[in-house]
């Protein structure tokens, strides 16, 4: 699953205006499974095919003993922005649709260097390749949609879709949590010696100036996209979703990392 950031899912398919000549054909949108759109799902590269229709292995890194290799992910954030995820840097750019045609502009990227040279090389190739996409379509069904992108040279990407958190839970609430540099003991019926994050809520005004904070307390859940490091204090901007129905033995809230506001190693 992709590391997910969220915006309310909405249709990105807009009716295209006829050209001045009345005999010009109107652009049409591809038939897609009901309730599935580019924005309603996050898309993970499943298979890359070359122009001859055979599998092109250059887009998939080999796994390691530590786990599977990162997989190229696309997220159509809104009706004009697409982001590339799961690699080293976050890349994003503008895109436009004209029926089955898609045009992705040159991607901007953060500048974080990664120790994995193969991952960096894959990221560079993706950044150069994606603006060459020319057509798109969503096939399959609502439970297993597949986005197919075709490129200038006839190559194709097939990406499997997973519903965004907005599709599953609706709009999120933004909150800020400060995570202490040390964990704290917390009682749990199934884990008597459990340790939890020690957190307190932080408030900011409209100008982003810190106004205050709450009391420290144990945080029993998990924060998707965040990995605790002993001795490091963080202030996190989170998206909090309300689950309905609430799963058994789970919090009513789902927390997803949106941004690390502050980070400090504490002796």
């Amino acid at each position: 699953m992709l590391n997910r950031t969220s915006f309310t899912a909405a249709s990105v398919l807009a009716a295209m205006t006829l050209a001045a000549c009345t005999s010009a054909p109107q652009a049409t949108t591809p038939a897609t499974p009901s309730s599935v759109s580019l924005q309603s799902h996050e898309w993970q590269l499943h298979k890359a095919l070359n122009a001859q229709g055979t599998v092109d292995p250059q887009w998939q890194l080999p796994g390691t003993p530590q786990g599977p290799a990162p997989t190229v992910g696309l997220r159509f954030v809104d009706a004009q922005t697409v982001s590339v995820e799961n690699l080293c840097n976050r890349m994003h750019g503008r895109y436009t649709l004209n029926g089955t045609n898609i045009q992705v502009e040159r991607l901007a990227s953060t500048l974080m260097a990664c120790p994995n040279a193969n991952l960096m090389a894959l990221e560079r190739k993706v950044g150069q390749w994606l603006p060459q996409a020319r057509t798109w379509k969503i096939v399959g069904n609502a439970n297993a949609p597949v986005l197919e992108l075709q490129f200038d040279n006839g190559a194709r990407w097939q990406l499997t879709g997973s519903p965004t958190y907005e599709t599953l839970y609706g709009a999120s609430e933004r909150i800020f949590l400060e995570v202490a540099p040390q964990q704290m003991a917390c009682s749990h019926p199934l884990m008597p010696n459990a340790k939890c994050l020690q957190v307190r809520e932080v408030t900011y005004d409209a100008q982003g100036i810190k106004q205050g904070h709450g009391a420290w307390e144990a945080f029993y859940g998990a924060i998707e996209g965040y990995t605790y490091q002993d001795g490091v204090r963080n202030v996190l901007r989170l998206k909090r979703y309300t689950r309905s129905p609430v799963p058994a033995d789970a919090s009513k809230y789902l927390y997803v990392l949106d941004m690390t506001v502050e980070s400090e190693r504490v002796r």
Side-chain angles (χ1 to χ4, degrees):
M1 192 174 189
L2 305 181
N3 294 334
R4 307 184 190 202
T5 55
S6 43
F7 296 80
T8 302
S11 172
V12 297
L13 309 179
M16 306 304 297
T17 305
L18 286 173
C21 177
T22 57
S23 62
Q26 183 174 6
T28 58
T29 56
T32 61
S34 176
S35 75
V36 178
S37 71
L38 287 176
Q39 290 171 266
S40 68
H41 284 58
E42 295 176 347
W43 306 96
Q44 190 170 59
L45 184 61
H46 169 67
K47 183 185 292 186
L49 303 171
N50 60 27
Q52 290 70 46
T54 58
V55 173
D56 186 350
Q58 68 172 313
W59 303 106
Q60 182 62 58
L61 298 177
T64 67
Q66 289 70 41
T71 302
V72 178
L74 298 182
R75 179 171 172 79
F76 293 85
V77 177
D78 52 34
Q80 62 182 13
T81 307
V82 61
S83 67
V84 180
E85 308 193 357
N86 295 349
L87 302 180
C88 177
N89 290 279
R90 176 72 60 85
M91 296 189 290
H92 66 277
R94 293 174 62 88
Y95 75 96
T96 54
L97 301 179
N98 184 357
T100 60
N101 295 325
I102 184 170
Q103 177 64 58
V104 179
E105 297 180 8
R106 182 176 178 179
L107 302 177
S109 175
T110 56
L111 300 176
M112 182 174 65
C114 292
N116 187 331
N118 291 331
L119 183 61
M120 291 291 291
L122 175 62
E123 180 179 278
R124 286 192 295 271
K125 286 194 297 184
V126 171
Q128 296 166 357
W129 191 259
L130 200 57
Q132 300 177 47
R134 288 297 171 261
T135 65
W136 71 282
K137 63 180 177 180
I138 297 174
V139 298
N141 58 58
N143 294 323
V146 175
L147 169 63
E148 185 169 285
L149 295 177
Q150 184 159 331
F151 296 86
D152 271 340
N153 65 354
R156 288 176 292 147
W157 281 4
Q158 295 174 351
L159 304 100
T160 56
S162 300
T164 64
Y165 287 129
E166 289 71 30
T167 299
L168 295 173
Y169 306 117
S172 64
E173 174 188 7
R174 176 181 288 179
I175 68 168
F176 294 85
L177 288 183
E178 181 177 357
V179 181
Q182 289 82 33
Q183 293 179 310
M184 65 184 299
C186 54
S187 59
H188 191 285
L190 301 179
M191 297 181 291
N193 298 317
K195 287 190 174 182
C196 296
L197 297 180
Q198 188 175 186
V199 305
R200 61 183 179 182
E201 190 162 354
V202 182
T203 56
Y204 295 85
D205 64 15
Q207 287 70 46
I209 299 174
K210 188 181 296 185
Q211 299 298 294
H213 49 72
W216 289 107
E217 58 184 1
F219 184 85
Y220 287 86
I223 300 172
E224 291 211 17
Y226 173 71
T227 301
Y228 167 77
Q229 292 180 280
D230 185 47
V232 177
R233 181 189 70 86
N234 287 306
V235 176
L236 310 177
R237 188 174 78 187
L238 305 177
K239 293 181 177 180
R240 183 169 70 182
Y241 299 88
T242 302
R243 292 175 165 137
S244 180
V246 181
D249 299 322
S251 168
K252 67 178 289 187
Y253 296 118
L254 175 70
Y255 296 86
V256 179
L257 177 65
D258 187 29
M259 188 176 82
T260 299
V261 179
E262 298 178 22
S263 185
E264 174 190 18
R265 180 165 291 280
V266 178
R267 290 184 177 274

